[in-house]
Amino acid sequence: MVDRKKLTAAQRRQLLATPAGWIACGLGSGLAPVAQGSFGSLAAILPWLLLRQLPLPLYALALALAFALGVWACDVAGRALAVDDHRSLVWDEFVGQWLALLPLLWAPAPWWAVALGFGLFRLFDVWKPWPIGWLDGHLKGGLGVMVDDVVAGVYAAVALALAASWL
């Protein structure tokens, strides 16, 4: 049986040998030895600092394109690893984190708001309240990898918007 949590040296080389593998593993952030999802979410904040400069329609287009790219890349990488949703595949964390930080596009984002968005996304991604857990268990392939994190990102964005309105 293939281990969902660890990569062999051969699997690591296989991922890094293709553009799909590089994308799926979050440009290398998913290759961390532990907490791959957290490392992927943290790495996603760097490109978000550039993406947040886009007008909302272009930001939405970038999210849609990143989602489609992730479905393809995670499907290819998952088949190569013979695991549908290996922990090293963290492009879904990038897209989910960018969704979670959506409420911070319209105002200056203090560091604590970005940290709160990060924490909320990780909470919903790990906790998997309905329908996130159901989606995670029932959808397979690249779409299955991506969709649960998109919903977790939406949940985190709503929670972040509510928290920001109270603070």
Side-chain angles (χ1 to χ4, degrees):
M1 178 163 182
V2 179
D3 190 346
R4 275 193 66 212
K5 297 180 181 184
K6 296 182 182 185
L7 288 173
T8 65
Q11 286 174 317
R12 190 179 295 264
R13 282 191 302 277
Q14 192 174 21
L15 271 180
L16 299 178
T18 66
W22 270 101
I23 294 164
C25 72
L27 309 175
S29 60
L31 301 177
V34 296
Q36 295 88 348
S38 294
F39 276 99
S41 295
L42 192 59
I45 292 172
L46 290 175
W48 174 79
L49 293 171
L50 296 174
L51 287 170
R52 74 180 305 243
Q53 305 302 317
L54 297 173
L56 183 58
L58 289 178
Y59 188 87
L61 178 62
L63 280 174
L65 292 173
F67 176 81
L69 181 66
V71 169
W72 166 76
C74 291
D75 190 62
V76 170
R79 280 189 279 119
L81 294 174
V83 179
D84 261 344
D85 194 357
H86 195 279
R87 282 192 178 183
S88 65
L89 307 183
V90 296
W91 188 254
D92 53 334
E93 268 77 20
F94 275 62
V95 176
Q97 188 65 69
W98 296 340
L99 276 165
L101 295 173
L102 191 64
L104 302 182
L105 296 181
W106 296 286
W111 69 268
W112 61 264
V114 176
L116 181 59
F118 170 83
L120 287 167
F121 173 66
R122 293 307 305 142
L123 172 72
F124 287 115
D125 188 29
V126 171
W127 177 30
K128 299 194 183 311
W130 190 88
I132 300 168
W134 186 89
L135 292 166
D136 186 49
H138 287 80
L139 295 178
K140 301 297 177 204
L143 184 64
V145 172
M146 296 297 296
V147 167
D148 65 307
D149 283 54
V150 165
V151 178
V154 170
Y155 280 20
V158 170
L160 181 59
L162 289 172
S165 71
W166 290 330
L167 300 173

